[in-house]
Every structure is written in C-alpha cells, then in structure tokens.
Amino acid sequence: MNSVFGFLHSSLGKKYIMAITGAVLFAFVVAHMLGNLQIFLGPEMINGYAAFLKSKPELLWLARIGLLLMAVLHIVSAIQLSRMNKAARPLAYGNARIVAASYASRTMLMSGLIIFTFVIYHLLHFTVALPAANLLPAGTDFRALHDTGGRHDVYRMMILGYSNVWVSGFYILGMALLCLHLSHGLSSMFQSVGLKQRPYDKLIDRFAQSAAWIIFIGNCSIPIAVLLGYGK
Ligand code: HEM
C-alpha cells in the first residue's frame, strides 16, 4: 500500500495520473463535440439529444462528478509536477533550451489554467444559464426557452448564445488554447506511459496534431456558422 502511495507521489506517478485523466477528458471533449455538432441536423435532433442526456439525473450527476474529479486530479498533478521540475532545476534555462521546446509544450500550465477559466464561463453561460453571462439584451433568459414539445430549447439557446460576437470570439479563443494544449498533451500522454517509442513516435505526434485541429475546426464551426447567419 505504501509503495502505491509512494508511486502516486513520485514524478512518474503524477505523469501517469495526468495521462489517464487527460485521456478521459479528451474522450469527453470528442463526445461533447459530436453531440454539439447535431445542431447542424436541426432543433429536433439537438433538443432530443439534450433531453435524453437529462432524462437520467443519477447517471448525469455521476458523469459530472467523475468529470470534475478528473479535471481536479489533472490540474493538481500539473501544478505539482511543475513545482517538482522547478525544484529539480533551480537555474532558469538559457535561450538554447527554449528554442528546442515547442511553444505548446512551454505553455501547457498556462493554456490549461485558461481553459479552466473558459470552462467556468461556459458552464455559467449554458449549463447554469446565468442571464448576466449571455451578454444579450436584458431579459434574455436561456432557462425560459422551450420548444413545441416542452423540452429545453438547446438549439435556440446556442443560436442566441453565439449571436453575440464577443461571446463567440471568446469561445474561439478558448478553442484555440484547448487545441494548442491538446496538440502537445496528446503526444506527451503516450510518452508518460512509455508508449511513444520508435517507429511510432512520429505517427503519435501526427495523431496529436490532427486530433487537435479536428477539435478546433469542429467546435469553432458552431459559433462561426451562427455569426454567418445559421439558425436566424
Ligand atoms: C464551441 C464549442 C462548444 C459548444 C457549442 C458547447 C455546447 C454546450 C452546451 C449547449 C452545453 C449545455 C447542454 C445542456 O444544458 O443541455 C454544454 C455543457 C457543457 N460543456 Fe460544452 N460546448 C463547447 C465546448 C466545450 C468544451 C471545449 C468543454 C470542455 C473542455 C466543454 C465542457 C462542457 C461541460 C463540462 C458541460 C456541462 C455538462 C453538464 O451539464 O453536466 N464544452 N456545452
């Protein structure tokens, strides 16, 4: 038992925690994007999908708590690892080292913390549906939107939500940072668990880059389509 705790507190143990929690969070991001893209299939599809997700509150809360736990473990391990790395390397690197590391890899902690702020805003915007978060004319309340079937009108909420250019701009910025984070994180996930070895290392890097771009394009297509008039 002591050795398990010892491992979890070691630098390698924390890398494993980051890899596993990162993989679960990535799976959520992919599933969430596929769910959201149903907006292009019309209100019936996306409202039905949202109603289905909310039809089993126990499962929904279990998933929410699991996701929150993954996010907390991922962030806490990242901060601890960064402290451990700094303690092991008291002198700052010279310029030569900085050139060798990619921009994404050097900004992982920062992009991760900004993504966290983005998620808090996103939850206030759509899940809590706080009127002050939508930056629309006073009285616009997403919680009051219902379709003809009496379901929460998630379709209209998204169209209204992204019709504000500042809100859409903030989402696009959030997606850019998420994808920068994923472009490095996905490949270091394989490295942490010892799977990034020749001859597959280049393939893993390419997978990470492509997945990050797909998430960026897929997610940004929604606010951009709305700004261009979709759903009006
Ligand atoms: C443009 C991209 C995105 C769109 C269009 C979008 C859309 C939505 C919508 C409409 C909801 C509310 C669903 C409902 O109340 O029925 C939601 C909830 C949520 N979103 Fe997103 N989302 C996007 C990106 C993201 C990203 C990148 C993350 C995480 C990194 C994320 C995490 C969440 C979470 C955790 C919830 C709460 C789910 C729950 O109710 O438990 N979203 N999203």
Side-chain angles (χ1 to χ4, degrees):
M1 198 65 178
N2 271 348
S3 60
V4 173
F5 278 115
F7 175 71
L8 290 179
H9 279 96
S10 71
S11 158
L12 184 64
K14 292 198 190 307
K15 282 185 183 166
Y16 264 83
I17 296 177
M18 292 213 62
I20 293 164
T21 52
V24 176
L25 292 169
F26 173 66
F28 165 77
V29 167
V30 173
H32 190 47
M33 182 185 76
L34 294 176
N36 289 332
L37 285 174
Q38 294 181 68
I39 191 175
F40 295 117
L41 301 176
E44 194 48 42
M45 280 302 281
I46 190 108
N47 290 353
Y49 169 69
F52 167 74
L53 289 184
K54 287 177 194 153
S55 65
K56 305 258 180 304
E58 322 77 42
L59 283 181
L60 180 66
W61 276 103
L62 199 70
R64 282 174 170 167
I65 293 167
L67 213 53
L68 183 67
L69 186 71
M70 293 295 124
V72 169
L73 280 174
H74 194 77
I75 296 169
V76 169
S77 307
I79 294 173
Q80 289 175 336
L81 254 177
S82 154
R83 284 201 183 136
M84 283 168 143
N85 288 343
K86 278 207 182 102
R89 168 177 48 80
L91 289 174
Y93 282 145
N95 283 344
R97 282 292 192 118
I98 290 177
V99 172
S102 72
Y103 183 73
S105 74
R106 283 184 280 120
T107 51
M108 284 307 271
L109 193 60
M110 192 45 76
S111 58
L113 292 174
I114 301 174
I115 293 163
F116 177 72
T117 340
F118 161 81
V119 174
I120 301 287
Y121 171 73
H122 178 50
L123 292 179
L124 292 175
H125 188 213
F126 281 159
T127 301
V128 181
L130 192 74
N134 64 43
L135 305 188
L136 290 169
T140 314
D141 187 348
F142 292 162
R143 289 167 294 197
L145 299 172
H146 291 97
D147 64 10
T148 47
R151 298 171 301 196
H152 184 212
D153 198 345
V154 174
Y155 178 84
R156 193 101 322 263
M157 173 172 84
M158 285 164 83
I159 303 291
L160 279 172
Y162 293 125
S163 61
N164 181 298
V165 70
W166 294 105
V167 171
S168 277
F170 183 58
Y171 267 81
I172 293 169
L173 185 71
M175 290 313 115
L177 286 168
L178 173 67
C179 296
L180 185 72
H181 193 83
L182 287 176
S183 68
H184 177 74
L186 284 173
S187 110
S188 70
M189 176 173 93
F190 286 91
Q191 184 136 33
S192 298
V193 294
L195 290 175
K196 197 178 162 194
Q197 285 168 4
R198 284 185 174 193
Y200 304 113
D201 52 344
K202 291 274 177 298
L203 197 70
I204 287 172
D205 283 343
R206 225 169 292 147
F207 158 75
Q209 301 286 330
S210 317
W213 272 109
I214 292 171
I215 303 275
F216 179 73
I217 295 168
N219 276 339
C220 289
S221 67
I222 304 172
I224 290 174
V226 173
L227 287 180
L228 294 176
Y230 179 76
K232 295 264 164 69

